[in-house]
Amino acid sequence: MNNTQLVVVTGANRGIGLGLCQRYLQLGWQVIATHRLGADVTQLKNLSVQYVGQLTLAELDVCDEQSIQGFAQFLINKVDHISVLINNAGVSIDSQFGEWSQQVFVKNFNANLVGPALVIQALSGLFNEHTKVIQISTGLASLQENIGSNEPFDAYAVSKIALNLLTNRLANKKQTDSSVFCAISPGWVNTDMGGAEAPTSVAEVAEQISQTIDNLTHKNSGSFVDSLGVPIAW
């Protein structure tokens, strides 16, 4: 896969992850789509038939260090660089104040912060000055806006705030600052997580995000933006 445009999308078997895979396949990119063991990959397999030779499916559980290391080795053996890494895999385990538990917070942080951090570390040997690392974040992670503070999204929101901070730190870390890092909030999207009432389709947001990623430069590294590239208040 030398000299090809290659995107890695985690949590790619449904929702925004699947939509991003479709978008990049349409653009002619090579796509590595990850999914957890046992996940329904029917739609990904259909895409692999439609886009022969462009799509590779791979198992990855971002909450399992051994799985991350196995995926990294698989990728290192297969490619020589990553053009774009999209850390899309995550969870939203909701709990109202008064019903919080350690498990709720730990599960959100493991999937939404620790997993992406370890994936980036494991794959960093495939990054170069052209690589763009994208964290799928949320508007709920804006400290200034503090959206939905009475809703049961506290553990999810604070885990994504931590992900945003990680993004900014990686952009300024000597080992990684040659690449571009950005946290992107897709907004309210019609997915299993977002619900059918959401105003934006997966296809629409995938097109927006891909265009925003394409427009990112090193001056944007460490930023937090919406799907159209408009900065979001920290």
Side-chain angles (χ1 to χ4, degrees):
M1 293 186 181
N2 294 342
N3 301 318
T4 60
Q5 292 282 72
L6 173 71
V7 60
V8 177
V9 183
T10 69
N13 59 295
R14 62 176 184 165
I16 293 172
L18 180 64
L20 286 165
C21 288
Q22 290 173 307
R23 175 62 179 166
Y24 279 101
L25 289 168
Q26 290 166 359
L27 293 172
W29 285 46
Q30 290 288 332
V31 177
I32 308 287
T34 83
H35 59 88
R36 287 186 297 176
L37 179 66
D40 183 355
V41 294
T42 303
Q43 294 184 79
L44 282 175
K45 287 184 175 179
N46 290 341
L47 285 175
S48 68
V49 173
Q50 185 178 354
Y51 295 93
V52 177
Q54 280 183 247
L55 177 62
T56 301
L57 276 60
E59 290 180 9
L60 171 63
D61 183 347
V62 300
C63 294
D64 183 329
E65 283 191 73
Q66 188 174 353
S67 177
I68 292 171
Q69 290 302 320
F71 172 66
Q73 193 57 58
F74 161 79
L75 212 53
I76 289 166
N77 291 337
K78 189 175 183 66
V79 305
D80 64 354
H81 77 286
I82 295 172
S83 305
V84 176
L85 166 63
I86 303 178
N87 275 315
N88 168 74
V91 300
S92 178
I93 300 172
D94 307 327
S95 181
Q96 287 280 13
F97 179 71
E99 300 175 356
W100 289 351
S101 68
Q102 184 181 63
Q103 185 180 47
V104 165
F105 278 85
V106 167
K107 284 187 174 182
N108 277 282
F109 269 82
N110 274 345
N112 300 336
L113 171 68
V114 180
L118 296 183
V119 167
I120 289 168
Q121 178 176 260
L123 299 182
S124 60
L126 295 171
F127 298 170
N128 59 35
E129 68 274 16
H130 304 296
T131 300
K132 298 175 182 181
V133 180
I134 308 302
Q135 323 276 35
I136 298 300
S137 186
T138 172
L140 296 172
S142 169
L143 286 164
Q144 184 170 315
E145 297 295 335
N146 196 25
I147 299 167
S149 56
N150 288 315
E151 300 299 321
F153 309 131
D154 306 293
Y156 172 72
V158 295
S159 70
K160 291 290 191 176
I161 288 172
L163 180 68
N164 287 358
L165 177 57
L166 174 71
T167 305
N168 191 270
R169 291 181 70 85
L170 287 165
N172 292 282
K173 191 176 290 295
K174 287 181 180 179
Q175 299 98 315
T176 51
D177 66 2
S178 63
S179 300
V180 176
F181 292 82
C182 185
I184 298 180
S185 168
W188 190 14
V189 183
N190 187 342
T191 63
D192 290 344
M193 186 182 293
E197 305 83 12
T200 308
S201 73
V202 167
E204 288 172 325
V205 80
E207 182 176 357
Q208 292 168 2
I209 289 173
S210 67
Q211 185 62 57
T212 292
I213 293 171
D214 188 53
N215 290 334
L216 290 174
T217 67
H218 279 87
K219 71 178 182 180
N220 309 118
S221 196
S223 61
F224 177 31
V225 301
D226 67 15
S227 62
L228 297 173
V230 178
I232 298 175
W234 292 103

